[in-house]
Amino acid sequence: MNPFVMQYRRLKCQLKYLASYVDLDPRGNRVVRRTDFKHCQRPVLLLHGFFSTRRVLEVLEHRLRREGYCVWSIHLGGTMDRFNTHRIDELARKVQGKVDRLYERHPGMGPLTIIGHSKGGLIGTYYVKRLGGDTRVRSLITLGTPHKGTRMAYLGCATLGWFSRSMWQLTPTSRFIKDLNVGAFPRHVRLVSIYSREDVIARYPSSVLDVEGQPNVFNVELSGVVPHGELLTRRAVWEVIQRELALGYADVPAPASVVALPPPPPLPVALPAAASP
């Protein structure tokens, strides 16, 4: 087959996959506020990814509420005040301001866990590692986050880079990625990267964290085909998140309204993954 035809088909497939991931509904950030921060001992902040909205978090949010967690998300803005297209460092500062104001109004809140999908995981990482978020955060769980950048971002730069500086930050050679990976992650904060080798957006090994010399940093590789967007909805991913939250909030009692369920079967959670080639 003609190599140009093969390249065209490969590019077409990647664009189709990318289109299936993005959420362009302008109403996607309209969410009903249900969280009672006055009684919030196990708060969980959800951060969505690039060109997406808070609507993609609905399944995960429902599961967390059912388990008694005090879950919330942040409107990250962006192009047309939506779609999370702003710079990662700018959004991390927005998270910092929101979190600080929330704890000032509700000083009795428990330690925070952040779950970030894709770019949302980098926002959480920057907040914890560079903006003093480690004083608030106990655990950071990332889902398909390209901690080492992703080559898919080069395609994004060619199509979306003219209005989104964050797309340039997501490339493997960006100064942002290089600087963010300098130095150890705060030792008193648990960092877990959940990823799939079949993820086309954050291609392996972009989501694999360097664990050497960092006993609080872990990788969890999911078996089977788990597309990028489905990291927010697959049952297997949820079971890993459950385990991690249980570890992070082991010393915090669950609300009395939560019915105790039998423990799920053992999972390979938070096992250091092999170093990337």
Side-chain angles (χ1 to χ4, degrees):
M1 182 180 291
N2 189 307
F4 293 103
V5 174
M6 292 179 62
Q7 187 67 23
Y8 168 75
R9 289 183 176 179
R10 187 178 298 111
L11 180 61
K12 184 178 179 180
C13 182
Q14 290 178 339
L15 288 171
K16 183 178 180 181
Y17 187 98
L18 184 62
S20 68
Y21 160 67
V22 299
D23 177 16
L24 301 178
D25 189 339
R27 300 165 297 177
N29 283 309
R30 299 176 187 175
V31 298
V32 179
R33 295 182 180 181
R34 300 186 178 92
T35 303
D36 180 9
F37 292 106
K38 295 179 181 179
H39 304 90
C40 187
Q41 292 305 301
R42 303 191 301 169
V44 178
L45 169 61
L46 305 180
L47 299 174
H48 62 81
F50 177 79
F51 234 66
S52 190
T53 65
R54 288 193 281 181
R55 185 176 64 175
V56 302
L57 305 169
E58 285 181 344
V59 172
L60 181 55
E61 181 178 348
H62 173 73
R63 287 170 168 168
L64 288 164
R65 289 191 187 282
R66 187 179 59 195
E67 297 291 325
Y69 291 100
C70 179
V71 58
W72 55 296
S73 60
I74 291 176
H75 176 31
L76 296 173
T79 303
M80 297 182 290
D81 195 37
R82 60 182 71 92
F83 305 141
N84 189 4
T85 57
H86 289 321
R87 291 176 58 93
I88 297 169
D89 47 324
E90 292 176 359
L91 292 170
R93 291 186 179 91
K94 183 173 185 176
V95 170
Q96 178 189 32
K98 293 277 188 179
V99 171
D100 284 349
R101 288 192 292 273
L102 191 61
Y103 273 88
E104 287 171 2
R105 291 197 296 268
H106 307 285
M109 282 178 57
L112 181 64
T113 292
I114 295 178
I115 302 177
H117 179 237
S118 196
K119 176 185 172 182
L122 289 174
I123 296 170
T125 301
Y126 192 91
Y127 165 57
V128 172
K129 194 173 181 180
R130 297 287 183 247
L131 299 179
D134 58 308
T135 61
R136 305 282 195 197
V137 177
R138 174 171 294 184
S139 301
L140 171 61
I141 303 170
T142 66
L143 310 175
T145 291
H147 292 281
K148 297 177 181 176
T150 173
R151 287 175 293 176
M152 181 64 80
Y154 291 121
L155 176 61
C157 289
T159 56
L160 306 172
W162 62 276
F163 68 85
S164 174
R165 295 300 302 170
S166 69
M167 186 54 66
W168 299 92
Q169 291 180 311
L170 290 166
T171 62
T173 57
S174 74
R175 174 57 58 186
F176 175 85
I177 289 293
K178 291 180 179 178
D179 289 346
L180 185 58
N181 286 318
V182 172
F185 197 75
R187 294 296 179 93
H188 53 283
V189 180
R190 185 179 181 87
L191 171 60
V192 180
S193 174
I194 303 174
Y195 68 94
S196 167
R197 293 198 185 213
E198 288 73 29
D199 189 337
V200 175
I201 302 296
R203 288 185 179 275
Y204 178 84
S206 65
S207 295
V208 178
L209 295 161
D210 294 325
V211 301
E212 186 175 355
Q214 300 190 90
N216 58 314
V217 177
F218 304 93
N219 294 296
V220 179
E221 180 179 345
L222 299 167
S223 60
V225 179
V226 184
H228 192 69
E230 291 185 22
L231 288 165
L232 288 166
T233 58
R234 284 285 184 97
R235 183 72 188 182
V237 183
W238 166 239
E239 289 173 349
V240 176
I241 293 173
Q242 277 183 300
R243 293 275 183 171
E244 285 302 317
L245 289 170
L247 286 170
Y249 288 122
D251 59 338
V252 179
S257 58
V258 177
V259 178
L261 298 175
L267 291 169
V269 176
L271 296 177
S276 59

